[in-house]
Amino acid sequence: MSDGTERDAFVIATLFPSILNTNGDAANARVLAQRARWAGVANVSLIEVEHAKQMPRDVDFVVVGACSEPDVVRAHERLAAVQPALEAAGTAGVPVLAVGTGWYLLSQRFLTPGRSSEAGLGLFSGSASKRSQRISDDLVVDTAYGQLVGYENHSTDYRLGQGEKPLGTVAYGSGNGDGAEGALTGSLVGTHLHGPILARNPSFADHLLSRALERTGRTLPTSARAQEADRFAANARSAVTTALGL
Amino acid sequence: MRYTAAVLSGRLVRLLARIRKPGGGSAIPGLVVNTIAPGYLGHALKSFPDGLVMISGSAGKSTITKMVVAVLAAHGVEVFTNPSTANIAQGLTSALLERSDLRGRVHQRMAVLELDEGHGAALVERVQPDILLLTNVMVDQIDRFHDSQMVADMLHTMAEATGGTVILNADDAFLMEIAGAPDVLAAIRYFGVSDEVLAANPRGLGYTAMTDVRLPAEDGTLLVSVAAREAEVVHAGEVCRVTLPARGVHYAVDAAAAIETAATILGESFDLALAAKTIGSLPPVFGRGEVVEIGGETVEFILVQNPASYQLNLDSMEANTEQVLLAVGSDVRDPSYLWPVDTSGLGTVNMVTGSKAWDAALQLVYDGVAVDRVEPDLAAGLDAFLALPKPAVGHKTIIFTADAMRRTRVHLGLSVNKETV
Ligand SMILES: [Zn+2]
């Protein structure tokens, strides 16, 4: 903590899961909490934020899932209500994982259900834009944290903004629409990889978890209990990449 | 004579389709007729002198339709109905063609149709129901094209077009908005569950939004208790017991809906005891709590069709289920399907199999479920699971997705009916 005091809880917040959970993206928060517990991290707490006042002041990880298209405007209002807390988290280096429409809403511009472009919260400097056809397929991305295997379902491209880096390059699928996938800015991660990407890709999960823990002077211990899950994940990934001929 | 040529064309196409794919009915004859004679469907549906009943909503419509049709038959009323695979315009037209004379007329006096929400809303522009039953509004969390309000609006359109009576699920908040709407002129009847039944299902009934208050027994058919396959309903002041075609509170709600609907159709001649007896003698629904004897052992099949039904099925499993196989097939391409569901109640799963076995197992371990074995080859997985010693209590339970169900039935040499293929 900035004031040097010890804080004993490890707090993961998932924002508005009743609407921002179209593809089970909120499960990523459950996955992080479980991996932290398996590694013996003390006092892991998972908070489902449904009202702005439930947003914890001290937070170690924030998960923002995707919403269905008709819910975009409602989700925008809800996220706007926690914008100061999100900005503070970003400034403090707290990892924020934002998926699909949840990511677009945090960018410069998002698309309404009527496909018009509107100003987002601007935490990411890039913008979502229309793509001609909906894509719903496996998405495989080569990144610094290994090859991430997931799924995408969207009709939106993403143009990176000033100072943003992609999460990786597309090995299979569409991603941002230009060969890159996702956006990294500070401790914020935006991606089209929806659903349980952190379960399927534990190397990425542990990278983000370590970062969250290191911020408060902690480390992520290795976990024997995660090994079974990670073996299942490796098989799940290779089932996809083998089928895709990668 | 207007439709003779179209009916003949449809029959010819049907014949050709059957020659190419024996046993396969298909929507193609309906497509052909709907294209060359777009008025045919409305014309045929208007020709039922005793009226037209439509059953729509997100879940339960095929079970309820089968129940209503059987209860009517037990009362001596034979009706035209559509198989659940034909609940959209093309399939419906094909089903009508099967039963119609050359002028396109069907000879039953009444039709009871199961309709998909979207096609139902389109169909009522051409032909209006006399009685409409709306089951519920449930949305697949992963089906982002169908949000709850959109489904509710489509059902509302059907209610506006109804001339006689609309029967609503009193526990579904989206449907109850229809009850108060000024543009709905039909009489309204209800079915619903008691406080006790709801309290026994703390995760709710799977509807997008629940109402705050329960149905007063005098306003319709009320489900007052459910225990395994036995339910108790109150209708018009009378209490009766019903044996369900499968275990689960949603089948009990379906039975209450079917009783209210049959009573509305039959009026004075409705016999509650006869209705309950008829529902109790329906064959178990394929893959839905269906109990099968395999190698001298009892095995229960549970079909999951979407995340909501996965959750409901898990929640209604017997507490002492000690041997479970989960089979997830290629119909679940996107593993996100598995993750909105809380599977922690399973405790231990003995075998996870099917082409998406690793993804399914991954979800289970994050919910704290112990996974004994993962075998992506379905046949090998089934054989190994069935070879396990009989459980000390209860029976083996197989939970599968639609694709895995079809392959399981084929592997075990069990019948595969048209609706499940
Ligand atoms: Zn739908």
Side-chain angles (χ1 to χ4, degrees):
Chain A
M1 300 301 303
S2 51
D3 59 3
T5 56
E6 272 295 319
R7 174 160 62 82
D8 55 0
F10 183 70
V11 180
I12 301 161
T14 175
L15 302 191
F16 314 109
S18 66
I19 51 173
L20 290 167
N21 189 21
T22 299
N23 299 294
D25 317 297
N28 284 307
R30 232 159 80 212
V31 168
L32 288 164
Q34 194 66 285
R35 291 189 77 78
R37 286 188 195 111
W38 285 342
V41 173
N43 295 319
V44 176
S45 130
L46 175 55
I47 298 178
E48 299 196 345
V49 176
E50 291 292 356
H51 302 282
K53 60 177 189 297
Q54 295 170 322
M55 183 74 190
R57 203 142 40 90
D58 289 322
V59 64
D60 296 287
F61 207 115
V62 181
V63 172
V64 185
C67 65
S68 67
E69 283 170 1
D71 279 336
V72 160
V73 176
R74 204 150 59 96
H76 182 236
E77 284 166 18
R78 304 260 177 108
L79 288 171
V82 295
Q83 179 160 14
L86 278 172
E87 280 170 359
T91 308
V94 171
V96 177
L97 174 69
V99 181
T101 43
W103 167 34
Y104 308 149
L105 286 166
L106 301 186
S107 75
Q108 291 294 326
R109 306 209 65 86
F110 68 95
L111 298 173
T112 66
R115 312 289 287 153
S116 68
S117 171
E118 272 188 33
L121 303 188
L123 276 81
F124 288 90
S125 60
S127 293
S129 58
K130 277 178 241 187
R131 93 175 238 121
S132 51
Q133 274 192 321
R134 172 167 289 273
I135 175 129
S136 175
D137 203 349
D138 296 302
L139 173 59
V140 182
V141 186
D142 291 318
T143 74
Y145 327 101
Q147 188 174 63
L148 308 185
V149 178
Y151 209 86
E152 62 182 329
N153 180 355
H154 58 99
S155 49
T156 311
D157 284 338
Y158 186 87
R159 194 155 308 150
L160 291 165
Q162 195 82 47
E164 272 181 347
K165 287 199 197 113
L167 171 62
T169 52
V170 173
Y172 178 90
S174 171
N176 293 356
D178 57 2
E181 158 53 20
L184 299 175
T185 180
S187 58
L188 275 58
V189 182
T191 182
H192 292 102
L193 290 160
H194 77 210
I197 63 154
L198 296 186
R200 259 199 177 176
N201 302 283
S203 61
F204 187 43
D206 286 351
H207 161 76
L208 295 174
L209 259 183
S210 300
R211 211 166 149 169
L213 287 161
E214 277 159 15
R215 206 180 53 83
T216 51
R218 292 175 280 187
T219 53
L220 179 69
T222 54
S223 150
R225 287 202 58 191
Q227 276 170 7
E228 183 190 28
D230 294 355
R231 185 173 65 85
F232 291 171
N235 282 302
R237 287 196 309 277
S238 75
V240 173
T241 52
T242 305
L244 297 176
L246 292 174
Chain B
M1 294 298 282
R2 274 166 72 196
Y3 294 104
T4 305
V7 170
L8 284 170
S9 313
R11 291 203 168 156
L12 179 63
V13 173
R14 192 179 79 209
L15 187 65
L16 292 174
R18 292 235 162 111
I19 291 166
R20 286 186 52 198
K21 188 185 168 205
S26 98
I28 296 169
L31 180 64
V32 170
V33 171
N34 287 352
T35 307
I36 61 180
Y40 169 73
L41 183 58
H43 161 82
L45 292 179
K46 277 178 197 152
S47 65
F48 293 100
D50 290 347
L52 179 58
V53 179
M54 293 186 184
I55 295 177
S56 192
S58 301
K61 43 189 183 287
S62 43
T63 305
I64 297 171
T65 303
K66 287 194 182 81
M67 288 175 173
V68 170
V69 169
V71 170
L72 294 178
H75 284 78
V77 179
E78 295 296 332
V79 298
F80 170 80
T81 189
N82 53 331
S84 58
T85 43
N87 70 6
I88 64 173
Q90 267 70 290
L92 187 53
T93 302
S94 296
L96 281 162
L97 285 170
E98 300 249 341
R99 304 284 287 273
S100 70
D101 64 20
L102 284 186
R103 293 185 314 165
R105 293 241 177 94
V106 176
H107 289 280
Q108 280 86 3
R109 296 188 58 85
M110 181 184 285
V112 177
L113 303 179
E114 169 195 343
L115 291 166
D116 163 85
E117 315 91 282
H119 290 86
L123 191 61
V124 297
E125 289 176 15
R126 289 186 271 169
V127 53
Q128 291 71 42
D130 299 288
I131 294 173
L132 172 70
L133 167 75
L134 299 178
T135 63
N136 48 53
V137 177
M138 287 192 198
V139 169
D140 292 1
Q141 257 173 304
I142 51 171
D143 180 2
R144 52 167 78 199
F145 302 107
H146 290 94
D147 75 307
S148 308
Q149 191 58 56
M150 199 162 104
V151 170
D153 288 347
M154 294 187 292
L155 298 178
H156 194 126
T157 302
M158 295 181 77
E160 271 173 48
T162 304
T165 305
V166 174
I167 300 155
L168 297 174
N169 183 337
D171 300 311
D172 187 305
F174 273 104
L175 294 182
M176 288 305 279
E177 281 175 24
I178 291 172
D183 49 6
V184 174
L185 304 172
I188 311 268
R189 296 289 299 169
Y190 304 96
F191 63 96
V193 307
S194 66
D195 284 311
E196 290 73 18
V197 170
L198 186 61
N201 292 274
R203 234 190 292 269
L205 301 170
Y207 314 145
T208 303
M210 284 292 290
T211 51
D212 297 328
V213 287
R214 309 277 64 81
L215 177 72
E218 60 274 19
D219 287 355
T221 301
L222 186 69
L223 174 66
V224 292
S225 79
V226 191
R229 280 182 63 189
E230 297 300 316
E232 222 173 16
V233 298
V234 181
H235 172 86
E238 238 184 294
V239 184
C240 81
R241 300 190 64 82
V242 189
T243 302
L244 306 171
R247 199 162 31 71
V249 66
H250 44 302
Y251 292 111
V253 174
D254 292 347
I259 286 170
E260 186 59 36
T261 307
T264 304
I265 294 168
L266 292 164
E268 291 291 296
S269 57
F270 177 73
D271 176 343
L272 180 61
L274 178 60
K277 187 171 151 252
T278 307
I279 292 170
S281 60
L282 285 174
V285 185
F286 243 28
R288 295 159 171 95
E290 182 188 6
V291 173
V292 184
E293 290 295 316
I294 302 169
E297 209 184 324
T298 301
V299 179
E300 181 170 349
F301 286 165
I302 296 176
L303 173 68
V304 299
Q305 292 171 300
N306 54 48
S309 95
Y310 190 7
Q311 189 72 67
L312 281 170
N313 278 301
L314 292 185
D315 290 351
S316 62
M317 271 174 68
E318 281 165 40
N320 62 358
T321 306
E322 66 174 70
Q323 286 187 2
V324 177
L325 174 144
L326 173 64
V328 179
S330 57
D331 47 336
V332 179
R333 269 210 69 203
D334 176 359
S336 306
Y337 178 107
L338 303 162
W339 288 81
V341 179
D342 178 357
T343 56
S344 57
L346 283 170
T348 298
V349 170
N350 305 72
M351 173 67 74
V352 183
T353 184
S355 58
K356 284 287 174 189
W358 295 113
D359 273 305
L362 185 61
Q363 190 277 334
L364 292 173
V365 291
Y366 275 102
D367 266 354
V369 176
V371 174
D372 284 354
R373 200 175 145 190
V374 183
E375 171 50 70
D377 183 86
L378 182 68
L382 283 167
D383 292 345
F385 176 69
L386 292 172
L388 290 175
K390 265 190 197 181
V393 269
H395 45 249
K396 290 191 167 83
T397 298
I398 293 180
I399 304 170
F400 39 35
T401 62
D403 171 65
M405 166 163 101
R406 192 173 50 77
R407 290 168 189 276
T408 298
R409 299 193 80 94
V410 170
H411 180 69
L412 298 177
L414 298 167
S415 57
V416 180
N417 77 4
K418 271 190 267 175
E419 287 176 34
T420 54
V421 176

